Amino acid sequence: MKKILVAATMALGLGASGLAIAQPLKIGMITTLSGGGAGLGVDTRDGFMLAIKQSGNKDITVVTEDDAQKPELAVQIADKMIQSDNVDLLTGIVWSNLLMAVVPGAVAQDKFYVSTNAAPAALAGAGCNKLYFNAAYQNDNLHEAVGEYANKSYKKMFILAPNYPAGKDSLTGFKRYYKGELAGEVYTKVGQTDYAAEIAQMRASGADGIFVFLPGGMGISFMKQFAQSGVKIPVMGPGFSFSQDVLPAIGDAALGAKASGQWAPDFDTDVSRKFVADFKAEYNRLPSIYALQAYDAGQLIASAAAKADVKDTEAFRAELLKADIKSPRGKFKFNTNQHPIQDIYLTEVVKKDGVLTNKTVEKIFADHGDAYAKDCKI
């Protein structure tokens, strides 16, 4: 009888593959659901929840709260989630200044953090941590790609970004690859909505191209004002500046703008087509790059949870590292600093069936990592 009970217990603890059935996993999602950056957070939440739903794992619970794009509030929410809600893992932050406020405290309390977007350089190099993963990119990456693209046709670029960690990483990344002259380099206030002075600088600069990293409401305001200004200098940026969540608000002023990204809705693969169709069926809109990144973060977490207990830190980390998912972006693996190595593409804003979206033009980088991995000593 004792042998039968032991055998039955073992059978209950093993799946068909012989792997342990995952224990319950509680995820704390902190993201921006109000204010000028709300569209980014909504897409993040929706992409993530689609992946969790599709995993079929009923033992995964997600607790979601709005950080209102305020670092101090994000820290308060993270502390509450860890200490009162007893979450096992955190995710969802869009903005790098908020991420920098939350991640050190989270990993110090032995909690995993899997980033859906924000990817500051400070956490990719010497400040890396074995409990911190990024499912999106490293902040510099997409900007590096535009810098490389700009070398083909532009000799004098004017570059602009908000004055916070991701903004500084963006211009650093662009300059790392761009070999031409800079007509101007300007940092604006985070959340700024009036760009008259900056547009006047652009007009007078003699630039033959403009690179802007202005996510969310900032980009909407800039592009509308730029179109109204009559300045005819070509504008380009990373995928965030022209992502699906902001294109309806920018309108036709975005047509023709070049951008960079690790994915676009027109990717011609079965996995990508299914993701786009499933997202549209669930939410009645096209997914943005933020939704794609969060979807893959959700897939990563669900994949690890199916094979390891999050309480077993090393086992769960090992499963995350495998990146055992089918990403709509295609090839995806983790670098030594737990940031992606992936392809990055040039895209162009077009109108398809009356809807503004991004069309893939060409591949800029293949198997692209980041400049900071060499300094990570995990």
Side-chain angles (χ1 to χ4, degrees):
M1 178 62 71
K2 185 176 181 181
K3 289 181 179 179
I4 292 172
L5 287 172
V6 170
T9 302
M10 290 178 65
L12 287 170
L14 295 174
S17 65
L19 297 172
I21 293 175
Q23 299 299 310
L25 174 68
K26 193 171 188 179
I27 300 169
M29 169 165 280
I30 305 168
T31 199
T32 305
L33 300 174
S34 60
L40 286 58
V42 168
D43 267 22
T44 295
R45 178 198 64 197
D46 291 353
F48 188 86
M49 294 307 299
L50 179 62
I52 298 302
K53 178 181 178 179
Q54 291 181 348
S55 77
N57 189 338
K58 304 299 184 183
D59 291 322
I60 297 178
T61 304
V62 183
V63 179
T64 303
E65 293 203 31
D66 176 17
D67 58 38
Q69 206 175 327
K70 297 176 181 178
E72 65 278 7
L73 179 58
V75 171
Q76 292 172 14
I77 294 170
D79 287 343
K80 181 183 78 68
M81 284 183 167
I82 292 170
Q83 296 163 17
S84 300
D85 297 334
N86 297 313
V87 301
D88 301 300
L89 180 152
L90 292 170
T91 190
I93 293 176
V94 173
W95 307 90
S96 288
N97 53 334
L98 276 67
L99 191 83
M100 287 300 301
V102 166
V103 166
V107 297
Q109 296 177 75
D110 297 321
K111 299 298 180 183
F112 281 96
Y113 190 98
V114 178
S115 183
T116 56
N117 185 64
L123 296 178
C128 65
N129 188 284
K130 68 179 184 178
L131 298 181
Y132 171 73
F133 284 77
N134 194 294
Y137 45 69
Q138 191 280 314
N139 273 352
D140 300 24
N141 288 164
L142 303 194
H143 317 283
E144 292 170 339
V146 183
E148 178 68 12
Y149 161 71
N151 287 324
K152 292 183 177 181
S153 305
Y154 301 94
K155 296 180 179 179
K156 194 174 182 181
M157 293 288 299
F158 190 106
I159 61 176
L160 177 145
N163 189 15
Y164 78 118
K168 293 176 181 178
D169 287 347
S170 74
L171 299 194
T172 296
F174 181 89
K175 292 186 291 182
R176 183 175 290 121
Y177 280 82
Y178 180 62
K179 306 305 180 187
E181 180 184 349
L182 291 182
E185 179 176 353
V186 174
Y187 287 98
T188 61
K189 292 180 180 179
V190 176
Q192 184 171 319
T193 56
D194 183 356
Y195 293 94
E198 289 80 8
I199 292 170
Q201 286 180 266
M202 292 170 179
R203 187 194 299 271
S205 69
D208 59 2
I210 295 169
F211 170 81
V212 295
F213 165 56
L214 292 169
M218 293 181 283
I220 295 169
S221 297
F222 172 81
M223 285 305 298
K224 284 186 171 181
Q225 291 164 33
F226 187 83
Q228 292 165 2
S229 74
V231 178
K232 299 301 182 183
I233 307 170
V235 178
M236 63 202 77
F240 330 111
S241 294
F242 304 101
S243 59
Q244 202 65 44
D245 56 291
V246 298
L247 285 178
I250 294 174
D252 288 353
L255 281 170
K258 300 293 197 303
S260 60
Q262 67 275 61
W263 173 83
D266 70 340
F267 267 30
D268 190 21
T269 67
D270 290 343
V271 175
S272 182
R273 284 192 294 269
K274 184 178 186 305
F275 167 61
V276 172
D278 290 348
F279 192 92
K280 285 179 69 176
E282 191 78 17
Y283 305 113
N284 197 32
R285 66 183 190 275
L286 284 172
S288 70
I289 200 169
Y290 295 98
L292 171 278
Q293 293 167 170
Y295 180 76
D296 279 354
Q299 286 199 91
L300 283 164
I301 294 166
S303 173
K307 300 168 186 173
D309 184 352
V310 71
K311 302 293 193 299
D312 185 341
T313 299
E314 288 304 318
F316 196 84
R317 177 172 174 261
E319 293 301 331
L320 286 174
L321 278 169
K322 291 177 183 177
D324 186 19
I325 65 171
K326 292 182 179 179
S327 172
R329 76 185 87 176
K331 291 187 299 181
F332 171 88
K333 64 180 179 180
F334 281 117
N335 205 338
T336 53
N337 61 349
Q338 299 176 175
H339 287 64
I341 294 175
Q342 59 193 329
D343 297 343
I344 301 178
Y345 300 82
L346 178 71
T347 62
E348 180 180 352
V349 178
V350 298
K351 188 172 281 188
K352 182 178 180 181
D353 299 326
V355 177
L356 288 166
T357 187
N358 283 281
K359 176 185 74 174
T360 307
V361 177
E362 63 185 67
K363 185 183 294 186
I364 301 175
F365 290 138
D367 297 324
H368 191 64
D370 64 83
Y372 308 102
K374 65 183 186 303
D375 300 318
C376 176
K377 307 301 181 186
I378 293 176

